[in-house]
Amino acid sequence: MDRVLAKLAQKHSLVKLVVAVGLVQIAAYYLLGALVRTDGGFAIPQTDTLLYCQAARRIVEGHPLSFSEGTAVSTGTTGVIYPFILAVPYALGFTGDALIRAGFFLNAAFYLVFLCCWAVVIDLKFQDALARVVGALLVATLGQSAYSALAQSDIGLLLAFSGAFAAALAGGRRKWYGLILFVFPWVRPEGDVCVIAFAMVVFARIVFLRTPWREVRGDVFIAFAAAASAAGVFAMNWALTGAAGYSSLAYKGYFKNLDLA
């Protein structure tokens, strides 16, 4: 048993393990989505799925950031990058119901990237063989992650980026986590949170841990560059709509809907 566990706990085995479990989940979701409708069409997981499909269509038609013909520019997709990625299969001819299926496989790929990246994190951070295997299984069998990716909004791309960011941080790959953090705000607002958290950690290392400047200066540059990137998203939103936030987030906050008391 110990030999089997030790073999499973190897890096390549961990990656294979999470991919195998992920493929089972993807296959189950696909079968359910393909069989649930009586007209032969593929299931539409949520209303946001159609929102992103329409955004992709408008990009290919040459009118990005507008929902339909004659409407004003809107930042209603809560992220900048994903509609342009989804526009690629649309431009290749995957329209109508075929775009739903193409989006499913696109997000399935994002989900597998997420799983593989966390397998790398586990390999780098855990030493005990049982902990490594259990950790990999916990990540791979978490239903919330699978559903969030395969429900076909922009969460699949967010998961892929967050997993890659975690793996790069765990491995100390400064160039990679710097690049990911720079692009992250354009994926979803959660990227802004990661930028703020990263900057706070860098600040704490300088002020409280007295980390030598030569060790932290690269991260200081990354923090400022990522903050500038995040500010660029707000600036773009303001230039397009007159509001710094995304149109899709308007009136959603507690302070918008409820009084302070």
Side-chain angles (χ1 to χ4, degrees):
M1 182 64 183
D2 289 341
R3 291 180 62 184
V4 173
L5 193 61
K7 190 172 182 179
L8 279 175
Q10 294 176 3
K11 179 180 179 179
H12 295 301
S13 296
L14 287 178
V15 172
K16 290 177 182 177
L17 180 62
V18 297
V19 168
V21 176
L23 288 174
V24 170
Q25 295 209 65
I26 291 168
Y29 272 91
Y30 184 82
L31 286 174
L32 290 171
L35 298 176
V36 70
R37 286 172 55 177
T38 57
D39 61 356
F42 196 74
I44 299 169
Q46 56 174 322
T47 52
D48 281 1
T49 304
L50 295 179
L51 175 69
Y52 283 99
C53 289
Q54 178 68 3
R57 173 184 176 181
R58 294 293 290 162
I59 289 170
V60 176
E61 291 175 346
H63 301 282
L65 302 175
S66 66
F67 186 74
S68 57
E69 189 69 31
T71 58
V73 172
S74 168
T75 54
T77 53
T78 321
V80 179
I81 296 177
Y82 179 66
F84 287 89
I85 295 176
L86 190 60
V88 174
Y90 189 93
L92 293 175
F94 292 90
T95 61
D97 184 68
L99 185 61
I100 305 295
R101 295 179 190 267
F104 178 89
F105 287 109
L106 189 63
N107 283 279
F110 292 149
Y111 176 55
L112 291 178
V113 170
F114 166 79
L115 293 180
C116 290
C117 287
W118 276 102
V120 171
V121 174
I122 291 167
D123 174 67
L124 291 170
K125 294 298 183 180
F126 288 76
Q127 299 300 322
D128 181 74
L130 179 60
R132 289 160 66 87
V133 174
V134 171
L137 286 173
L138 286 174
V139 170
T141 57
L142 184 62
Q144 179 67 18
S145 301
Y147 171 76
S148 296
L150 300 175
Q152 295 191 54
S153 63
D154 53 359
I155 301 298
L157 184 62
L158 170 67
L159 287 173
F161 262 78
S162 66
F165 183 53
L169 277 176
R173 301 294 185 89
R174 179 172 286 160
K175 289 182 180 179
W176 281 109
Y177 67 68
L179 177 61
I180 293 167
L181 197 64
F182 184 80
V183 179
F184 218 159
W186 300 84
V187 176
R188 265 189 68 91
E190 288 86 345
D192 298 327
V193 177
C194 288
V195 171
I196 293 170
F198 183 85
M200 290 174 65
V201 170
V202 172
F203 177 80
R205 290 179 65 196
I206 295 172
V207 176
F208 300 111
L209 300 180
R210 305 294 183 181
T211 305
W213 175 250
R214 65 180 181 276
E215 295 181 17
V216 78
R217 63 186 177 188
D219 287 341
V220 171
F221 172 79
I222 289 172
F224 275 104
S229 178
V233 177
F234 293 115
M236 185 197 73
N237 289 347
W238 183 273
L240 291 172
T241 65
Y246 287 101
S247 305
S248 54
L249 300 180
Y251 306 107
K252 282 188 175 180
Y254 286 122
F255 288 104
K256 284 285 188 179
N257 295 313
L258 304 171
D259 58 39
L260 183 60

